[in-house]
Amino acid sequence: MASVTRVPLLSTPTSLFSSFSTPTPLQCNRHFEVHNKRNFRRLAVVAMADSNPTTVLVTGAAGRTGQIVYKKLKERPDQYIGRGLVRTEESKEKIGSADDVFIGDIRDADSIVPAVQGIDALVILTSAVPKMKPGFDPNKGERPEFYFEDGSYPEQVDWIGQKNQIDVAKAAGVKQIVLVGSMGGTDLNNPLNKLGNGNILVWKRKAEQYLADSGIPYTIIRAGGLQDKEGGIRELIVGKDDEILKTETRTIARADVAEVCIQALQFEEAKFKAFDLASKPEGTGTPTKDFKSLFLQITTRF
């Protein structure tokens, strides 16, 4: 029978595990209290980072629609830090002369850099505005004639001016641009193009394409006929390729356009999309409140 060699068991010094003695209930409670406090602080920091207001610059802030967007941003300080860009001191006074209203000329890119620095999003509401030639008398059955002032033609404002805004915003790392244009851009013979021989829709469309090609997340809103009416009381309609112009619902309140601009900043579903926008007549349909669903209806990128 083979002999068996007995190997003596090694004794373990009691001091080896002395530091790992079973914790008392009081020690456990203290441990979890410290752990929970640390987790709470981490969550609080994350929540604070997520809840930081978005800094938004509205250009054309003294215009009739721009004023509404600027005002809406200022009314929601928990969500937004609103800024405005206007062209003159007179325009700045028109909207309150606040320190967050900058003066600059979109035709001069360098002049708008200070307004754009540090913003998260840009809402472009600048546009060339035709003026009526003097001497028009509607009683004579005449049609009014329009003109653009020197330096304020659509090519200079709606193309060069908007291109400058897009370029400066891209250089500043802006995360989203909302651009408000007009329906009718698919038709070169649209009457708006004939005003002052400015081809305003042609130049607007060119700026829209430039934005779509820029790589910046964008929302392009091509509004129908703008009306100075109360917002939030009509059902909004979205479309593409000027299809809405073939219907009877071709108008929209400026206040509704302004609200869509702001809502577009809140939903991923609004990014990289371009659409026509109008509304049903007041009293028909259901007033639009669910903007995420509205943006989900849109499938066109341009």
Side-chain angles (χ1 to χ4, degrees):
M1 181 175 179
S3 60
V4 177
T5 303
R6 296 180 180 276
V7 179
L9 293 175
L10 296 174
S11 60
T12 304
T14 55
S15 61
L16 183 62
F17 295 106
S18 59
S19 60
F20 296 97
S21 58
T22 303
T24 65
L26 179 60
Q27 289 173 322
C28 285
N29 287 339
R30 286 176 177 170
H31 170 77
F32 285 115
E33 284 177 7
V34 171
H35 181 73
N36 288 337
K37 285 180 180 178
R38 287 174 179 168
N39 279 342
F40 178 79
R41 283 196 293 267
R42 291 193 192 100
L43 290 172
V45 169
V46 171
M48 287 176 65
D50 289 343
S51 64
N52 284 340
T54 301
T55 301
V56 184
L57 173 67
V58 182
T59 61
R64 283 187 287 174
T65 308
Q67 286 186 58
I68 302 172
V69 176
Y70 176 72
K71 182 180 178 182
K72 283 178 175 287
L73 291 172
K74 304 303 284 186
E75 290 172 346
R76 305 174 195 185
D78 56 325
Q79 294 177 279
Y80 302 106
I81 298 172
R83 292 186 189 178
L85 178 72
V86 298
R87 194 157 60 92
T88 65
E89 187 67 44
E90 180 183 358
S91 293
K92 181 173 180 175
E93 293 173 1
K94 186 177 177 181
I95 56 174
S97 297
D99 291 339
D100 56 33
V101 178
F102 295 75
I103 297 175
D105 188 337
I106 61 170
R107 296 167 299 181
D108 174 11
D110 291 340
S111 76
I112 65 174
V113 169
V116 175
Q117 290 299 320
I119 67 171
D120 301 301
L122 170 65
V123 179
I124 299 177
L125 277 158
T126 52
S127 177
V129 179
K131 295 194 173 185
M132 188 183 299
K133 289 184 178 180
F136 167 64
D137 186 353
N139 296 320
K140 295 181 179 180
E142 300 174 343
R143 288 188 177 184
E145 294 185 30
F146 295 87
Y147 71 99
F148 292 96
E149 293 181 334
D150 288 343
S152 297
Y153 275 81
E155 180 180 2
Q156 295 157 313
V157 177
D158 293 276
W159 165 232
I160 296 173
Q162 291 190 3
K163 178 180 180 295
N164 285 341
Q165 293 175 71
I166 295 164
D167 289 341
V168 172
K170 186 172 184 177
V174 171
K175 301 179 182 69
Q176 184 179 0
I177 296 179
V178 177
L179 171 61
V180 177
S182 300
M183 285 196 287
T186 61
D187 180 11
L188 288 175
N189 295 317
N190 188 289
L192 290 178
N193 283 327
K194 298 178 182 178
L195 294 179
N197 294 318
N199 283 320
I200 189 168
L201 296 180
V202 174
W203 296 112
K204 283 183 180 293
R205 199 80 170 186
K206 187 175 177 69
E208 292 170 7
Q209 186 67 65
Y210 188 78
L211 174 58
D213 294 338
S214 71
I216 305 171
Y218 65 87
T219 307
I220 298 171
I221 302 169
R222 300 179 181 122
L226 297 171
Q227 298 180 319
D228 295 314
K229 294 183 176 181
E230 181 183 355
I233 58 175
R234 299 172 187 81
E235 181 175 333
L236 303 184
I237 304 168
V238 293
K240 62 179 182 177
D241 299 330
D242 293 331
E243 292 172 347
I244 292 176
L245 290 178
K246 301 172 185 176
T247 71
E248 297 301 316
T249 52
R250 301 189 293 263
T251 60
I252 185 166
R254 292 180 187 275
D256 285 328
V257 175
E259 186 62 33
V260 173
C261 287
I262 292 175
Q263 293 292 334
L265 302 173
Q266 299 182 24
F267 296 102
E268 289 294 317
E269 290 79 6
K271 292 181 178 178
F272 297 106
K273 290 184 177 180
F275 55 94
D276 300 339
L277 180 67
S279 66
K280 292 184 178 180
E282 183 180 345
T284 63
T286 304
T288 298
K289 303 298 180 184
D290 185 351
F291 288 90
K292 181 176 181 178
S293 294
L294 183 74
F295 295 135
L296 281 171
Q297 296 176 39
I298 304 158
T299 58
T300 47
R301 293 177 64 92
F302 187 78

